[in-house]
Amino acid sequence: MQTLKHIGIIALNTFRESIRDKILYNIGFLAIALTLFSIVLGEWSVFDRAYVIKSTTLSVMSLSGLLISIFVGISLVQKEIQRRTVLTLLSKPISRASFIVGKYFGLLAVVAVHLMLLTAIYYVMLFLTGSAPTLSLLTAIYLIFCEMAVVIAVALLFSSFSSTVLSALFTLGVYFAGHLSDQLLEQVRFATRMGELNGTSSMLFQKAAEVIHAIFPGLYRYNVTTYVVHGVALPDMYVFWNSVYALGYIGVFLAIASWWFSRRDFL
């Protein structure tokens, strides 16, 4: 119970600190501006206006969540280290694991509030433009939240042992690898079937693609914009199993981050 109390206090303080961050407001205003600009894009586009507005806004939600996770999330731990305030916190009966987990939930709450704000604007915009706001859109937004939950865990993992710049680069690398790993594996298998790869090179490329696909979190699973916008039903239990999938990776990343952070010497 005491550990949960410590995590709650750190999470609340992290949330308050992040809300005052100017970078967060810049990202938020940019996301709102791009969301509103999707109306103009819908008018200009040769495609259906509702399709353009929905797909563009969901992309903006994902991108802005990524920016918050990187620019705000990575700085959470680094600021504490640079200001040496981490020494004050850790001198109290607070475990380093509680510190990492508390930081995680604090930033996760910030991303949740950000997505809720954009969702409210999104639905009002769809209503005013005569588009059909459906509950299925909430499924796509929830999966974006799951994706960002994994990305935040990745950002905290790298920030627990690396510099701000390197942590940002590593997090971006994992993000893009997570979105492209499935396509990479498919392309390698296709090239092998077509005979473009053969022998040793085929085995090496396929093994490398399989390792990347297995190790990196499959963030492509959370991009269901095409399904939702076109009204195509997701497979049964899709949301449930991918929620469990996200929780698994989050647990692993936070466990590694806590272990690594506990080994650091700040003196």
Side-chain angles (χ1 to χ4, degrees):
M1 289 298 293
Q2 196 69 17
T3 300
L4 292 177
K5 181 181 179 181
H6 292 159
I7 291 173
I9 293 172
I10 294 172
L12 181 59
N13 290 334
T14 300
F15 179 80
R16 289 172 175 171
E17 180 184 353
S18 300
I19 289 296
R20 294 193 294 266
D21 198 319
K22 293 181 180 179
I23 296 177
L24 177 64
Y25 288 102
N26 291 334
I27 295 173
F29 287 136
L30 176 63
I32 293 172
L34 290 175
T35 301
L36 296 176
F37 184 65
S38 66
I39 299 176
V40 179
L41 291 177
E43 296 293 340
W44 290 348
S45 176
V46 295
F47 299 102
D48 180 62
R49 182 176 64 178
Y51 169 82
V52 174
I53 292 175
K54 292 175 182 178
S55 60
T56 302
T57 306
L58 288 173
S59 298
V60 169
M61 286 185 177
S62 180
L63 177 61
S64 61
L66 173 65
L67 294 176
I68 291 174
S69 302
I70 291 177
F71 290 106
V72 180
I74 290 174
S75 64
L76 287 177
V77 177
Q78 292 299 324
K79 282 181 180 178
E80 298 283 3
I81 296 174
Q82 292 169 4
R83 295 172 182 172
R84 313 297 289 178
T85 52
V86 68
L87 297 176
T88 305
L89 284 171
L90 297 180
S91 64
K92 299 177 180 180
I94 299 176
S95 68
R96 298 196 180 194
S98 299
F99 176 80
I100 291 293
V101 175
K103 288 289 183 183
Y104 174 80
F105 281 112
L107 183 57
L108 190 64
V110 172
V111 172
V113 171
H114 173 76
L115 290 179
M116 285 191 288
L117 174 61
L118 290 185
T119 300
I121 296 172
Y122 188 14
Y123 270 76
V124 170
M125 203 168 60
L126 290 174
F127 178 78
L128 294 177
T129 56
S131 304
T134 59
L135 289 176
S136 62
L137 290 172
L138 293 177
T139 302
I141 296 170
Y142 168 73
L143 289 174
I144 290 173
F145 174 74
C146 290
E147 177 188 12
M148 291 305 107
V150 175
V151 174
I152 292 170
V154 172
L156 283 178
L157 167 60
F158 289 126
S159 65
S160 66
F161 66 85
S162 187
S163 65
T164 303
V165 175
L166 288 177
S167 297
L169 292 176
F170 290 151
T171 304
L172 280 173
V174 172
Y175 177 82
F176 287 117
H179 275 282
L180 299 176
S181 61
D182 189 52
Q183 295 180 29
L184 175 64
L185 184 58
E186 288 295 327
Q187 290 297 322
V188 170
R189 288 174 175 172
F190 177 76
T192 302
R193 288 196 300 268
M194 297 300 292
E196 296 179 13
L197 294 174
N198 49 58
T200 306
S201 61
S202 173
M203 291 180 60
L204 288 176
F205 277 111
Q206 187 155 339
K207 285 295 181 183
E210 288 174 354
V211 168
I212 292 172
H213 187 269
I215 293 177
F216 288 95
L219 299 179
Y220 60 87
R221 299 166 178 263
Y222 303 102
N223 183 10
V224 296
T225 301
T226 304
Y227 284 88
V228 175
V229 170
H230 290 291
V232 179
L234 291 170
D236 292 338
M237 304 294 285
Y238 186 89
V239 174
F240 172 78
W241 286 119
N242 281 287
S243 298
V244 174
Y245 180 85
L247 287 173
Y249 267 101
I250 290 167
V252 170
F253 288 139
L254 289 182
I256 296 173
S258 300
W259 172 78
W260 197 284
F261 193 69
S262 65
R263 293 170 57 88
R264 292 192 63 174
D265 186 6
F266 301 104
L267 297 176

